[in-house]
Amino acid sequence: VSDAPLADLLEPFDPPARLLMGPGPINADPRVLRAMSTPLVGQFDPVMTAAMNRVMALYREVFRTTNRATFLVDGTARAGIEAILVSLIEPGDRVLVPVFGRFGQLLVEIAERCRADVHRVDVPWGEVFPLDQLAEAIERVEPMLVATVHGDTSTTMCQPLHDLAAVCDRHGALLYADVTATLGGNAFEMDAWNLDAASAGLQKCLSGPSGSAPVTLSDRAVERITARKQVEAGLREPSDDACASSMAPIASNYFDIAMLLDYWGERRLNHHTEATSMLYAALECARIVLVEGLDAAVERHRLHGAAMTAGVRGLGLDVFGDPAHKMHNVVGVEIPAGLDGDTVRADLLRGFGVEIGTSFGPLHGRLWRIGTMGYNARADAVLTTLSALEEVLRGHGHAMPVGGGVDAATAVLAESG
Ligand SMILES: Cc1ncc(COP(=O)(O)O)c(C=O)c1O
């Protein structure tokens, strides 16, 4: 309950300009914000259905796939994860989850809610799994599904996926990856790596706001899901009865991918009311990254991530985790002993309008996480963040080389011309 007088509540809301350099969300590209303010059209207006088809085609390029089932789940990235897991998993199915950070734990939690028989394997945070360890677990568990995160922003680690599908295939398992934090900023190849399902969000390397989850599913995954299809009462036609199957129905209406496919497909069966402005945002995000070129976007993230990493080292700070498997777009920075990480973050925000991230679980209080992604994977954003961080750290009595962060980052950027 707010105690504020109504007159205060009726004041216009004018959020300040911030430079969002945490692990996501980042500042949306102004072109995306413009797209979101364009006129709404009706859900079944031919302009809208053409836009939906265009979104599907654009995201096939972004995921590098020919999967027909490539579309948006309305909701944040977690909605995409949940839609895929609840639609694929029948109660009792064995699901293997490799956990190397917080978002692996989220997959465990969602799979458990789907009443899967969940088996997890763990490595210490800051590391990734060697293929052998995953192969041994797959052989032992014989899962229906292996569900893994690609890049876990909680630890900044990127799990190599390119060889995993072959192992899954040998044991009849499907392979799903959460690519929320990697798509568009780190190499990802849906088809060449032979994955069965992947889901993403807009608010990281794709330069958008959160609120839409691009997903893609192989024919094999779609076959399993449509075998469980039940068309909602009120829309059902006599021919739909033939679809009834002995498999358990999908335990969510909103996230039922069988129904979503009928909504995005030729049948255009009504489901939810489309989040039109988010669809415009998703369309623009895909257009922007494809106009730049996916490989060029990945290289831009590599370069600016390397500049930020060199910059924090240039400030005398240590970088967390296995450097060989670090995501391009986020760096974990060890908080120097004696400093209060949250106060430093608050001072950065108050004094410079720069936001960096805190950490979760075992890393809370130990790490800051600094992102260079999407629209913010730019030299000026990197250099501004490093100079602000230097100033704030100096104010907290932390000794470091003057200009060391900006100098080191500039040297990396200069190497690329
Ligand atoms: C790897 C990963 N997966 C999932 C999520 C959840 O995304 P959302 O908050 O958009 O639901 C995040 C968010 O940081 C993430 O980094």
Side-chain angles (χ1 to χ4, degrees), residues 17-35:
R18 304 280 202 215
L19 181 58
L20 302 180
M21 299 299 281
I26 45 78
N27 300 89
D29 189 306
R31 289 172 286 181
V32 177
L33 297 177
R34 272 202 303 274

Side-chain angles (χ1 to χ4, degrees), residues 65-412:
T65 184
T66 57
N67 288 342
R68 258 179 85 74
T70 303
F71 58 98
L72 305 176
V73 174
D74 287 350
T76 66
R78 187 182 288 242
I81 300 173
E82 195 144 351
I84 287 177
L85 294 187
V86 77
S87 298
L88 280 176
I89 297 172
E90 269 195 289
D93 278 338
R94 276 192 302 278
V95 174
L96 177 70
V97 184
V99 177
F100 58 101
R102 179 204 163 181
F103 290 103
Q105 286 179 336
L106 176 66
L107 299 182
V108 169
E109 138 101 27
I110 296 175
E112 280 174 349
R113 285 176 189 247
C114 299
R115 299 201 281 129
D117 173 13
V118 180
H119 297 249
R120 63 184 274 174
V121 279
D122 285 79
V123 283
W125 288 23
E127 296 177 20
V128 297
F129 290 87
L131 183 62
D132 292 0
Q133 191 178 345
L134 294 179
E136 181 282 320
I138 292 168
E139 201 167 320
R140 178 167 42 81
V141 173
E142 299 216 315
M144 178 282 290
L145 175 71
V146 175
T148 184
V149 177
H150 184 211
D152 199 313
T153 41
S154 68
T155 67
T156 78
M157 293 296 106
C158 191
Q159 174 66 44
L161 294 181
H162 51 276
D163 290 334
L164 190 52
V167 183
C168 291
D169 228 27
R170 274 204 298 282
H171 295 275
L174 299 177
L175 177 59
Y176 156 72
D178 168 9
V179 300
T180 303
T182 43
L183 192 66
N186 302 260
F188 177 71
E189 303 277 344
M190 184 74 192
D191 285 2
W193 298 354
N194 209 13
L195 273 75
D196 290 292
S199 65
L202 303 185
Q203 74 270 26
K204 315 256 186 198
C205 305
L206 294 176
S207 300
S210 68
S212 180
V215 300
T216 183
L217 296 111
S218 69
D219 290 348
R220 205 156 65 130
V222 169
E223 209 175 296
R224 184 179 169 84
I225 290 171
T226 49
R228 304 173 70 191
K229 177 163 136 178
Q230 286 194 341
V231 176
E232 192 172 288
L235 301 175
R236 202 178 299 143
E237 290 175 11
S239 59
D240 288 320
D241 285 341
C243 301
S245 104
S246 60
M247 291 177 83
I250 293 169
S252 167
N253 175 298
Y254 194 74
F255 292 136
D256 180 328
I257 287 182
M259 291 209 289
L260 289 173
L261 286 171
D262 270 344
Y263 165 62
W264 282 81
E266 275 146 30
R267 233 176 137 185
R268 298 271 175 223
L269 264 193
N270 187 242
H271 187 252
H272 59 292
T273 308
E274 188 48 47
T276 311
S277 304
M278 282 313 306
L279 183 134
Y280 295 168
L283 192 158
E284 189 64 8
C285 287
R287 208 186 62 77
I288 288 172
V289 78
L290 294 172
V291 167
E292 178 179 11
L294 259 185
D295 293 338
V298 169
E299 172 53 22
R300 176 169 55 83
H301 283 84
R302 189 205 61 75
L303 176 67
H304 292 90
M308 183 64 88
T309 304
V312 295
R313 289 200 173 110
L315 291 175
L317 303 169
D318 292 327
V319 167
F320 175 76
D322 170 7
H325 293 102
K326 198 183 90 45
M327 295 160 66
H328 290 158
N329 45 313
V330 56
V331 56
V333 182
E334 305 265 4
I335 300 171
L339 279 189
D340 177 46
D342 288 344
T343 311
V344 168
R345 288 175 55 242
D347 288 352
L348 264 175
L349 190 67
R350 225 184 353 254
F352 296 86
V354 174
E355 180 179 280
I356 63 169
T358 180
S359 297
F360 305 116
L363 300 179
H364 185 70
R366 262 191 65 194
L367 285 196
W368 294 305
R369 291 175 305 146
I370 306 184
T372 39
M373 53 184 105
Y375 182 64
N376 286 354
R378 299 191 316 266
D380 61 300
V382 170
L383 300 179
T384 301
T385 303
L386 288 167
S387 49
L389 182 59
E390 175 177 342
E391 196 58 27
V392 169
L393 288 176
R394 200 178 305 292
H396 282 264
H398 180 70
M400 80 208 96
V402 175
V406 166
D407 286 354
T410 306
V412 171

Side-chain angles (χ1 to χ4, degrees), residues 50-60 70 72 264 279 282-283:
M52 290 171 75
N53 288 345
R54 187 169 163 191
V55 162
M56 294 175 93
L58 285 167
Y59 277 94
R60 285 186 194 112
T70 303
L72 305 176
W264 282 81
L279 183 134
L283 192 158

